[in-house]
Amino acid sequence: MAEPDYLEDDNPELIRPQKLVNPVKTSRNHQDLHRELLMNQKRGLAPQNKPELQKVMEKRKRDQVIKQKEEEAQKKKSDLEIELLKRQQKLEQLELEKQKLQEEQENAPEFVKVKGNLRRTGQEVAQAQES
């Protein structure tokens, strides 16, 4: 390869190029990693040859399996929890039925309400006479 012209001239006005420092090679992490790789190579230990994508996919799979196990543990409920849920559902249904009845009574015309009150008073009077 041909030498550049500016090396031959001793012109003081020219700025001489300097080799740039590679920030990766100067970093402490890179030096430690390089030293470890050299030591492993001397000992005969081969580094893991798994590509980065494969490592990431394995990590995701492990995380997914762990998450599934946690979800299964939460899904398994004891007999007591199942029975409590059934009772809670029954109570909610009863409350809904009561609310529907109250709404029907509130929305009913006034003459229907009066008729219901008369029936109740008539039944109460009949029971009072019998006793």
Side-chain angles (χ1 to χ4, degrees):
M1 187 166 7
E3 293 289 322
D5 294 337
Y6 55 82
L7 290 179
E8 296 172 3
D9 297 335
D10 288 328
N11 191 352
E13 294 176 10
L14 290 176
I15 299 174
R16 292 226 156 84
Q18 294 180 347
K19 190 171 185 178
L20 295 175
V21 179
N22 188 347
V24 174
K25 288 188 177 182
T26 58
S27 74
R28 188 79 181 144
N29 290 338
H30 182 271
Q31 291 174 357
D32 292 342
L33 179 63
H34 186 64
R35 188 178 310 115
E36 185 179 339
L37 287 172
L38 287 174
M39 288 174 51
N40 285 343
Q41 187 178 11
K42 286 179 184 177
R43 282 193 247 154
L45 300 173
Q48 271 189 327
N49 293 328
K50 290 184 180 179
E52 186 176 349
L53 179 63
Q54 187 177 1
K55 290 178 186 177
V56 170
M57 294 302 286
E58 287 177 355
K59 185 178 185 302
R60 279 189 184 176
K61 194 171 188 178
R62 279 193 309 268
D63 292 344
Q64 189 177 21
V65 167
I66 291 170
K67 191 174 181 181
Q68 279 182 342
K69 287 181 181 179
E70 289 175 356
E71 288 176 0
E72 288 176 6
Q74 289 178 353
K75 285 182 181 178
K76 291 181 182 177
K77 296 180 181 176
S78 67
D79 294 336
L80 176 64
E81 290 175 335
I82 293 171
E83 199 63 35
L84 288 173
L85 285 173
K86 286 180 183 178
R87 287 186 180 184
Q88 183 181 3
Q89 289 174 351
K90 285 180 184 177
L91 288 173
E92 289 174 358
Q93 287 178 353
L94 289 174
E95 287 178 17
L96 286 174
E97 289 175 4
K98 286 180 182 179
Q99 287 178 354
K100 286 181 182 178
L101 286 174
Q102 287 177 354
E103 289 176 3
E104 288 176 3
Q105 289 175 356
E106 290 173 2
N107 294 337
E110 192 172 338
F111 68 90
V112 175
K113 293 178 187 176
V114 172
K115 185 177 179 183
N117 288 341
L118 287 175
R119 271 199 194 138
R120 271 190 249 128
T121 54
Q123 290 174 355
E124 289 174 1
V125 170
Q127 287 177 354
Q129 289 175 355
E130 289 175 5
S131 38

